[in-house]
Amino acid sequence: MLQNYVQYNPEKIIFGKGTECQVGQEVARYSKTCLLHYDGGDYINPLLDRIRQSLKDAGVTFYELGGVEPNPRLTLVRKGIEMVKEHNIGFVLAVGGGSTMDSAKFISVGTYYDGDIWNHGRFAPIHTPIIPKGVVLTLPGTGSEVSTSAVIRNDEVDPEIKNCFFAEEFRFDFAIINPELTYTLPPSQTAAGAYDIISHSMEDYFTSTEDAEYLWGVCETVINSVMKNVQIALKDPTNYTARANICRVAYVPLEDIMDRGTQYNFCVHNIEKPVTGTYHSTHGKILAIMMPAWMKYCYKTNIPLFMRLCVNCFGAKPDYDHPEKTIMEGIRNLEHFTHDIGLPTRLSEIGIDDSKFEYLADLAVWGDRENGYVGQVTKMKFEDIIEIYKLAL
Ligand code: NZQ
Ligand code: ZN
């Protein structure tokens, strides 16, 4: 039965060709001073020039902080917070993918936070003032452009810890999404972003809510669209239709629409996070390894639903007398697709062995220490996570 729910999607999405040139006027609605925050790649230079011009044209003074790394660092967030305070900056503008977006979110929320933002409760609301923020997106996948979450790596502790925080205050005020900006993505990032979208859909799909037809239908559409369009984009990187369709569905699983009224699972991300945090790997790449391992371990929790997904999205032929056969065929097909788009399906393919499994499983449970397990539906404890890591080896 659908649960009671609140739906709230305040972000303004500005989508399409050339839209980054509107950024100055959007920022100016909030402030005449801005922190321009980005990563360090060469791809970004022509884009930054257009953004600087747009800010200048709108009379916005800006300060710059580049250098965001994948799995963004807390120390750079602290530097951003200092800059915002020193120059009394009134807006934070992210230009980049999930890491830059989350770093900007932490600066926005952390600047006037009463205490150290890292120590804030993962699910606690924030009661101190925040700085408005926006993004010009360059990498579709994380859905951070509409999400209420921010993932940060604490590089001030040894070993480092990556953690995910949730609060309404992490929402952007606007997101500019021009699919043309994704033409320069290397194939590995295109594929990793696409897999992230698939995994977000699957984290929602395996709900404990019965008859969640809307959720299941939208998830299947998102997954099928991404699987089709990522293959086109990899062959033809400047294919606007394929890039636009990926950008269009990327944020759907993170919006307050698809999953409202249903119990989400969100399990595999918590099993993935310690691995990317520890090995500094790519989010979507590790998800591509963990998702089939988790499916193999958990499919018995809801055989009809696993079978439905494997048939409707992963090309398995339905065998109603032997549903497990159908599910295994679907998982195999998903793994073939994963290899076809250039991603690994085993940890050993990327040189990770079992030496840290206990440490990683400990960290996964620590990340959700309020519960002592990860996943709201498939509740995986320490021993289960170890088994999933073994299946991923
Ligand atoms: O700096 P270079 O080497 O050029 O590489 C950049 C970037 O560092 C490259 N890139 C981005 N846009 C490009 C481009 N290269 C060429 N052309 C472009 N248009 O891609 C590198 C990786 O970017 P990053 O932002 O790290 O990737 P992604 O968007 O996958 O973000 C991953 C982070 O987001 C978190 C992940 O945990 C991870 O830390 N997530 C955040 C979520 C949220 N806040 O809601 C949800 C997600 O599930 C996820 O956990
Ligand atoms: Zn993700």
Side-chain angles (χ1 to χ4, degrees):
M1 189 185 78
L2 283 184
Q3 306 158 357
N4 295 4
Y5 67 89
V6 173
Q7 183 184 319
Y8 180 60
N9 286 97
E11 301 86 0
K12 178 175 182 181
I13 305 280
I14 303 168
F15 189 99
K17 294 184 181 184
T19 45
E20 68 277 15
C21 296
Q22 297 173 32
V23 71
Q25 71 200 47
E26 291 303 322
V27 173
R29 291 178 203 278
Y30 298 89
S31 176
K32 289 288 184 184
T33 51
C34 167
L35 180 73
L36 186 53
H37 195 35
Y38 47 87
D39 60 40
D42 289 340
Y43 79 93
I44 212 162
N45 293 326
L47 171 61
L48 284 179
D49 285 344
R50 294 200 292 285
I51 289 174
R52 290 182 188 114
Q53 191 58 52
S54 177
L55 291 170
K56 276 183 202 154
D57 291 346
V60 176
T61 306
F62 53 89
Y63 301 84
E64 300 197 18
L65 179 61
V68 179
E69 290 172 15
N71 307 305
R73 292 174 296 124
L74 184 61
T75 45
L76 194 71
V77 168
R78 300 227 196 270
K79 197 167 171 196
I81 288 175
E82 272 171 33
M83 286 176 72
V84 171
K85 282 185 176 159
E86 185 187 341
H87 302 290
N88 199 20
I89 292 172
F91 195 88
V92 183
L93 179 64
V95 182
S99 297
T100 308
M101 288 193 268
D102 289 356
S103 188
K105 286 178 172 187
F106 246 62
I107 294 169
S108 151
V109 165
T111 298
Y112 298 114
Y113 183 77
D114 187 14
D116 184 344
I117 186 67
W118 176 259
N119 294 325
H120 184 73
R122 289 188 60 222
F123 298 98
I126 287 157
H127 298 296
T128 40
I130 59 167
I131 297 169
K133 52 193 166 300
V135 53
V136 177
L137 183 84
T138 65
L139 201 181
T142 62
S144 183
E145 60 272 30
V146 299
S147 78
T148 56
S149 48
V151 186
I152 290 291
R153 170 166 52 106
N154 187 341
D155 56 336
E156 296 171 342
V157 294
D158 186 15
E160 297 178 348
I161 298 175
K162 189 177 168 190
N163 210 355
C164 184
F165 297 76
F166 298 84
E168 284 294 327
E169 291 75 8
F170 284 122
R171 286 184 191 277
F172 282 109
D173 294 284
F174 69 77
I176 291 180
I177 306 174
N178 174 0
E180 291 174 313
L181 302 181
T182 68
Y183 290 173
T184 51
L185 280 168
S188 58
Q189 293 293 351
T190 296
Y195 205 102
D196 199 11
I197 304 168
I198 294 168
S199 77
H200 293 154
S201 306
M202 288 172 68
E203 297 274 28
D204 282 336
Y205 192 87
F206 293 105
T207 178
S208 51
T209 307
E210 288 174 8
D211 295 326
E213 289 301 337
Y214 177 71
L215 167 72
W216 294 329
V218 178
C219 279
E220 289 166 6
T221 301
V222 169
I223 292 171
N224 285 326
S225 175
V226 174
M227 289 180 82
K228 175 182 154 193
N229 286 298
V230 69
Q231 302 194 61
I232 298 171
L234 286 170
K235 286 196 189 89
D236 180 9
T238 58
N239 184 311
Y240 184 80
T241 305
R243 293 290 192 184
N245 277 319
I246 295 170
C247 289
R248 178 60 188 89
V249 297
Y251 62 87
V252 170
L254 276 294
E255 274 178 319
D256 267 15
I257 294 179
M258 183 177 93
D259 63 348
R260 289 303 95 165
T262 61
Q263 176 58 60
Y264 64 87
N265 185 25
F266 239 81
C267 182
V268 183
H269 272 64
N270 292 309
I271 295 171
E272 161 275 330
K273 222 179 313 124
V275 183
T276 41
T278 302
Y279 292 97
H280 295 184
S281 190
T282 304
H283 176 62
K285 193 198 272 187
I286 301 299
L287 286 170
I289 295 170
M290 293 302 158
M291 188 55 82
W294 171 84
M295 290 175 82
K296 286 171 201 162
Y297 192 71
C298 286
Y299 73 89
K300 287 187 180 144
T301 57
N302 195 338
I303 287 185
L305 199 53
F306 272 86
M307 177 152 168
R308 174 178 164 153
L309 185 74
C310 287
V311 170
N312 289 355
C313 294
F314 304 145
K317 280 185 252 16
D319 180 344
Y320 295 102
D321 295 328
H322 306 96
E324 299 194 18
K325 221 172 114 189
T326 306
I327 292 168
M328 288 308 145
E329 186 189 341
I331 296 173
R332 266 197 314 277
N333 290 349
L334 173 63
E335 290 182 325
H336 285 147
F337 159 81
T338 307
H339 277 145
D340 283 349
I341 62 169
L343 292 176
T345 59
R346 296 287 185 281
L347 290 169
S348 49
E349 285 177 62
I350 55 169
I352 296 180
D353 62 21
D354 60 359
S355 55
K356 291 190 177 163
F357 278 2
E358 297 207 343
Y359 167 72
L360 297 172
D362 244 347
L363 262 186
V365 179
W366 174 86
D368 251 326
R369 55 198 170 285
E370 299 87 354
N371 296 319
Y373 55 76
V374 300
Q376 300 305 304
V377 178
T378 56
K379 306 187 176 174
M380 298 284 102
K381 295 192 173 147
F382 175 86
E383 310 77 50
D384 303 306
I385 299 169
I386 293 281
E387 292 308 313
I388 292 171
Y389 286 150
K390 283 185 189 163
L391 285 168
L393 200 55

